[in-house]
Amino acid sequence: MDFFAYRDGRLFAEDVAVSDIASQYGTPAYIYSRATLERHWHAFDQALGEHPHLICYAVKANSNIGVLSVLAKLGSGFDIVSGGELARVLEAGGDAGKVVFSGVGKTREEIRYALEQGILCFNVESEPELERINAVAAEMGVTAPISLRINPDVDAKTHPYISTGLKANKFGIPRERAIATYELADSLPNLEVKGMDCHIGSQLTTIEPFVDALERLLELIDVLASKGITISHLDVGGGLGVTYNNETPPHPKEYAAALAEKMSGREQLKLIMEPGRAIAANAGIMITEVEFVKEGDEKHFAIVDAAMNDLIRPSLYSAWQHIGRVEQDTDATPRVYDVVGPICETGDFIGKDRELAIKPGDLLAVRSAGAYGFVMASNYNTRCRPPEIMVDGTTVTVVREREMLKDLWKGEHKLT
Ligand code: LLP
């Protein structure tokens, strides 16, 4: 559930009319709802009840400092994939001691920085990475807390670009090599084995792959225990899907209950989750204005002022996101449009074959844009990235200003 809803035909973000935000700050723009972010985070946190746990929000989904600060205030942990994301978490007031560091390519500098800040754990994805973390920790005279990301080889049944738990994917350590790799980790003097983790993919809409992966990991944890290697936390990654159209993903409660059931009798094993999309996606919308309505030979086009550089998911993954009018009152006739941006690429579309009653000047809201929206935006075609705006009740805060042209060529130089 989110806090974007129509009141008398006008779309509101919490208690603020979206069209008022558009008049003040222009379009395109991202608008987030603080109450929605908080509600989604609490849904995960409460679902795990008394079982020792930590919700580590996946920063990559939306790394705006304003968004991170809202979650930090709730006591959230964070899942990061770069030194940059760690710096953002700290800037936002997050606790380094609740940070897990994922990703296949951590550099020496990133490892050193994370050790200096005292993160909770490195989620290690390969043997050479173990050796690297051990070496950096040794140089610093410290011990690095580690977890191994195990590739459980389960099919998440999601888009191939965001499926990560299959043998053919670049992520994690194959489960056949898991025990040997833990033995290696255990033998390295500057590492401390803390946990086990996995992440099998994103936008999963069924529980079974999560449960299959968990069962496979628990088996490994038992084998390790028999070898004297104790695992104190199990990180099940992120990946719970959201409703963009007619998907019916499990509620965090159902998802957590299914995992908790498998964990019964293991109360000493702390559960970590890394949800990104399920917290942020439906806590954000992107608004855009119709510039032109154009008649093609075969199609009608609504040319809007947002483009694939602002929101790339439709172009990149053929993702479907709901597009609707901000003000429902209209005398325009409904027709089926491709909603496209001004970029010089056929792949520049926000939605295809959408029935809309619109005319130039109308505002549209693209829903479920709070995750993997602004963070994946670019400056392609020398377009300034949109502002990000947080609504909290009746309060509107610009949490990132609209870029200006001079920001775009900062650091570039003319030749004489
Ligand atoms: N943990 C790890 C290690 C991950 O790689 C990811 C996402 C997450 C957690 C969070 O997953 P979530 O709960 O958000 O599904 N850009 C794509 C999604 C890429 C996801 C990458 N990894 C999209 O727009 O659909």
Side-chain angles (χ1 to χ4, degrees):
M1 206 216 107
D2 61 59
F3 292 89
F4 294 96
Y6 286 93
R7 295 184 194 169
D8 299 326
R10 306 183 73 199
L11 182 63
F12 273 69
E14 301 194 16
D15 296 322
V16 184
V18 167
S19 53
D20 290 346
I21 300 177
S23 324
Q24 190 162 357
Y25 300 104
T27 55
Y30 278 92
I31 302 174
Y32 307 134
S33 150
R34 179 177 189 164
T36 311
L37 285 168
E38 293 182 339
R39 182 187 171 99
H40 292 168
W41 188 89
H42 283 303
F44 279 94
D45 190 47
Q46 287 163 4
L48 286 168
E50 293 301 302
H51 193 99
H53 66 271
L54 181 63
I55 306 302
C56 290
Y57 165 70
V59 173
K60 65 165 78 69
N62 185 326
S63 56
N64 180 279
I65 300 271
V67 170
L68 299 182
S69 71
V70 165
L71 299 174
K73 279 193 175 33
L74 302 180
S76 184
F78 295 94
D79 166 51
I80 59 159
V81 288
S82 69
E85 286 191 349
L86 176 55
R88 279 184 174 274
V89 166
L90 299 176
E91 181 69 24
D95 177 355
K98 291 183 180 172
V99 167
V100 294
F101 192 167
S102 304
V104 294
K106 303 174 190 78
T107 66
R108 287 186 182 78
E109 293 68 32
E110 287 177 320
I111 293 165
R112 181 168 299 112
Y113 176 47
L115 284 171
E116 280 163 5
Q117 299 305 321
I119 64 163
L120 176 64
C121 199
F122 290 92
N123 289 345
V124 178
E125 304 230 11
S126 65
E127 293 87 343
E129 187 192 328
L130 269 184
E131 307 270 3
R132 176 177 282 187
I133 296 176
N134 182 59
V136 175
E139 273 163 33
M140 295 171 67
V142 298
T143 305
I146 64 109
S147 155
L148 294 187
R149 173 168 176 180
I150 304 302
N151 185 334
D153 194 27
V154 296
D155 186 356
K157 299 191 174 64
T158 183
H159 190 287
Y161 283 14
I162 52 178
S163 173
T164 49
L166 284 170
K167 274 190 180 167
N169 299 135
K170 70 177 174 179
F171 300 99
I173 292 162
R175 68 184 171 126
E176 296 76 16
R177 292 217 305 271
I179 303 297
T181 314
Y182 269 104
E183 285 171 336
L184 168 67
D186 198 40
S187 73
L188 293 172
N190 289 80
L191 298 184
E192 189 185 356
V193 173
K194 290 273 193 195
M196 184 179 287
D197 69 284
C198 73
H199 170 77
I200 56 174
S202 197
Q203 185 54 15
L204 272 70
T205 50
T206 56
I207 289 184
E208 291 72 32
F210 289 115
V211 173
D212 287 353
L214 179 67
E215 282 175 343
R216 291 179 177 201
L217 263 49
L218 289 174
E219 278 168 24
L220 291 173
I221 287 178
D222 292 341
V223 177
L224 289 172
S226 72
K227 292 177 179 288
I229 300 177
T230 310
I231 299 297
S232 51
H233 76 241
L234 175 55
D235 176 346
V236 293
L240 188 63
V242 302
T243 303
Y244 286 102
N245 189 7
N246 43 24
E247 306 90 337
T248 50
H251 187 274
K253 224 184 214 164
E254 278 172 74
Y255 162 69
L259 300 189
E261 195 191 315
K262 296 283 162 204
M263 301 277 287
S264 77
R266 298 179 187 261
E267 276 66 34
Q268 75 299 347
L269 189 58
K270 181 171 173 175
L271 199 57
I272 296 181
M273 287 184 175
E274 304 171 355
R277 190 191 314 265
I279 289 181
N282 286 320
I285 62 173
M286 184 187 70
I287 54 168
T288 181
E289 185 176 318
V290 179
E291 294 283 348
F292 299 103
V293 167
K294 177 173 170 177
E295 304 305 326
D297 276 347
E298 293 183 3
K299 290 205 139 188
H300 307 298
F301 295 100
I303 302 174
V304 298
D305 63 2
M308 64 189 286
N309 75 295
D310 302 302
L311 180 70
I312 203 175
R313 302 192 67 259
S315 306
L316 189 57
Y317 314 111
S318 305
W320 190 99
Q321 294 189 211
H322 183 270
I323 303 173
R325 292 176 55 102
V326 168
E327 305 277 318
Q328 288 178 324
D329 223 22
T330 181
D331 48 12
T333 320
R335 287 197 307 191
V336 175
Y337 289 97
D338 278 5
V339 180
V340 301
I343 283 184
C344 306
E345 300 239 7
T346 305
D348 178 26
F349 62 91
I350 306 289
K352 288 196 168 167
D353 299 322
R354 303 302 176 90
E355 186 170 293
L356 291 162
I358 45 173
K359 55 184 187 315
D362 284 346
L363 290 172
L364 296 174
V366 184
R367 305 296 277 267
S368 317
Y372 307 111
F374 182 89
V375 282
M376 294 180 81
S378 77
N379 296 118
Y380 188 40
N381 279 207
T382 302
R383 289 170 53 84
C384 295
R385 286 178 297 173
E388 294 175 279
I389 294 161
M390 180 76 75
V391 176
D392 176 9
T394 54
T395 308
V396 177
T397 310
V398 177
V399 289
R400 189 178 207 277
E401 288 165 25
R402 185 183 302 284
E403 273 177 338
M404 292 190 298
L405 278 177
K406 64 175 174 35
D407 301 329
L408 265 50
W409 49 77
K410 184 166 174 267
E412 294 184 28
H413 303 287
K414 287 192 281 199
L415 294 189
T416 48

